[in-house]
Amino acid sequence: MSSRQRDPDPVDDRLVALALPAVLGMALGLAVGGQLDSLAVGIALGIALAAGFGWLRLWLADLPQ
């Protein structure tokens, strides 16, 4: 194993910050689509929610303290 550590990359930080909102958005969208018996609605809603949650997460992170 190498003892050298990687320098933090801002792109990696943003991807990690967006991973949870994307998973939550898709899960919620697919759950609602399943309740409506429409996979197409679930996928569309999941994509929209994932994008919205990701935007909200990044917007909140950029607010001044």
Side-chain angles (χ1 to χ4, degrees), residues 18-64:
L18 291 175
L20 182 61
V23 169
L24 291 176
M26 284 304 296
L28 185 60
L30 290 173
V32 170
Q35 292 296 317
L36 298 174
D37 288 328
S38 175
L39 182 61
V41 169
I43 291 172
L45 188 58
I47 291 170
L49 286 173
F53 288 163
W55 174 83
L56 183 64
R57 168 69 174 91
L58 291 177
W59 180 72
L60 290 173
D62 288 340
L63 286 178

